[in-house]
Amino acid sequence: MSALHSEISSQPHERDRDIVLSARDVTVGFGSKIVLDRLNLDVYRGEILGFVGASGTGKSVLMRTVLRLLPRRSGKIEILGKDYDKLSEPERNQLDMRLGVLFQQGALFSSLTVKENIQVPMREYLDLPKNLMDELAHLKIRMVGLAADAADKYPSELSGGMIKRAALARALALDPDLVFLDEPTSGLDPIGAAEFDELIAKLRDTLGLTVYMVTHDLDSLFSVCDRIAVLGQKRVLVEGTVEDMLACDDPWVQSYFRGKRARSIVPREDIADRNDVNGAGAHSREK
């Protein structure tokens, strides 16, 4: 464990925060290949955590393991204070209702309309009359910034950005406490990605969500993430704020956050200070 990771993890204000996701000594492998080895990670209530790492290091593997889509070989995972392994099936269903997931490509059912896709979790977990489900689906559609007529469109009729928003509306269908986003801005143009970041931040603030975001998008990390965790060598190498990442001496972290593609990106605090001086307003990105 790096010195920075140890220092950040031991800070009193972090220890006192409400942990909504806890992974302890989690090991995941496929055959003889170990992907995650005794990994530890905490996600705190109300934060947007950006989870990053080189391609193939296991970022999505960890997310799918947390969601029980992949088995783990050892370790303990607690979500919202509950250990899945100790819950009955009805208790697991209750816990599942408090989670929302947006997969990388949206994973919408192609044979269902946007409205019907959003209603899938409602049909699985709730017993509601059709008119109420329709009303709730339209509410979620408005919540993610889609036009009302998107409700009756099929995924094949949607743009990439609309698919992301529709998938997010489905993730919010049951009013979850914790939302998992897998590469939410991948495939979006810079304007669409910025708007999606702003939407995530707005929903976090208005709905009180906790967001676990797997991403490669430096703009997202700098503009909306409260904290960042870096995966490498089969575990979390370092975690902390953007400023902590910029100060970290790990070679990969330095290359990622201070490399050529990061040259035009500056921390939110620096942008705010600059805008205060210029009177330009509070923007989250350097243009």
Side-chain angles (χ1 to χ4, degrees):
M1 181 180 292
S2 71
L4 177 58
H5 184 284
S6 299
E7 178 183 349
I8 294 170
S9 298
S10 62
Q11 291 177 356
H13 75 280
E14 295 290 0
R15 292 200 304 268
D16 295 340
R17 295 177 65 184
D18 187 12
I19 297 173
V20 298
L21 169 61
S22 172
R24 289 290 176 271
D25 296 321
V26 172
T27 297
V28 181
F30 304 98
S32 61
K33 179 179 175 60
I34 300 298
V35 179
L36 304 174
D37 187 16
R38 291 168 293 176
L39 176 144
N40 295 305
L41 177 68
D42 289 329
V43 181
Y44 299 102
R45 184 174 300 279
E47 76 173 349
I48 299 178
L49 175 78
F51 197 62
V52 303
S55 296
T57 53
K59 300 182 298 299
S60 294
V61 168
L62 177 60
M63 190 186 88
R64 290 171 180 271
T65 301
V66 170
L67 294 170
R68 294 185 299 140
L69 298 175
L70 291 174
R72 64 183 185 275
R73 293 190 176 179
S74 62
K76 180 179 180 180
I77 295 175
E78 289 188 351
I79 301 177
L80 299 168
K82 307 290 186 180
D83 183 347
Y84 264 118
D85 295 339
K86 297 180 180 179
L87 299 180
S88 64
E89 195 60 32
E91 289 172 329
R92 290 181 177 182
N93 288 337
Q94 287 295 316
L95 184 54
D96 286 341
M97 290 173 61
R98 301 176 66 185
L99 310 179
V101 186
L102 188 160
F103 293 102
Q104 184 171 351
Q105 304 303 327
L108 296 176
F109 295 102
S110 60
S111 61
L112 301 180
T113 65
V114 169
K115 179 178 68 177
E116 291 167 341
N117 266 281
I118 296 169
Q119 291 172 342
V120 167
M122 301 179 195
R123 295 181 187 280
E124 182 174 355
Y125 291 102
L126 305 174
D127 183 15
L128 301 175
K130 182 181 183 303
N131 64 332
L132 180 54
M133 287 198 299
D134 288 346
E135 183 178 341
L136 289 172
H138 282 285
L139 174 63
K140 304 304 178 184
I141 287 170
R142 292 194 301 272
M143 187 180 291
V144 299
L146 286 174
D149 63 1
D152 297 318
K153 294 182 182 297
Y154 289 90
S156 61
E157 301 175 284
L158 305 178
S159 67
M162 292 174 70
I163 287 175
K164 296 280 189 179
R165 289 175 184 259
L168 179 60
R170 185 178 63 186
L172 298 174
L174 300 180
D175 298 324
D177 296 288
L178 174 60
V179 176
F180 295 85
L181 309 178
D182 192 0
E183 300 286 359
T185 59
S186 66
L188 301 182
D189 61 72
I191 295 175
E195 291 175 345
F196 202 87
D197 284 339
E198 291 168 4
L199 173 63
I200 294 300
K202 180 180 179 181
L203 291 172
R204 186 275 303 270
D205 293 339
T206 56
L207 301 178
L209 298 173
T210 301
V211 180
Y212 177 108
M213 181 192 304
V214 175
T215 184
H216 283 109
D217 192 333
L218 279 166
D219 282 343
S220 297
L221 294 170
F222 276 78
S223 64
V224 299
C225 290
D226 302 295
R227 211 162 50 90
I228 299 165
V230 178
L231 181 64
Q233 301 176 31
K234 304 177 183 179
R235 67 185 193 279
V236 175
L237 286 175
V238 58
E239 57 186 280
T241 64
V242 167
E243 290 71 25
D244 293 322
M245 298 302 110
L246 294 174
C248 179
D249 58 4
D250 180 86
W252 188 91
V253 175
Q254 278 289 305
S255 178
Y256 191 84
F257 287 92
R258 290 191 177 276
K260 293 181 179 180
R261 288 184 178 271
R263 288 179 180 174
S264 63
I265 310 296
V266 295
R268 285 170 291 179
E269 288 77 5
D270 292 351
I271 296 173
D273 291 344
R274 179 189 308 164
N275 288 333
D276 287 341
V277 173
N278 296 336
H283 296 280
S284 60
R285 299 170 188 273
E286 182 180 31
K287 304 296 183 183

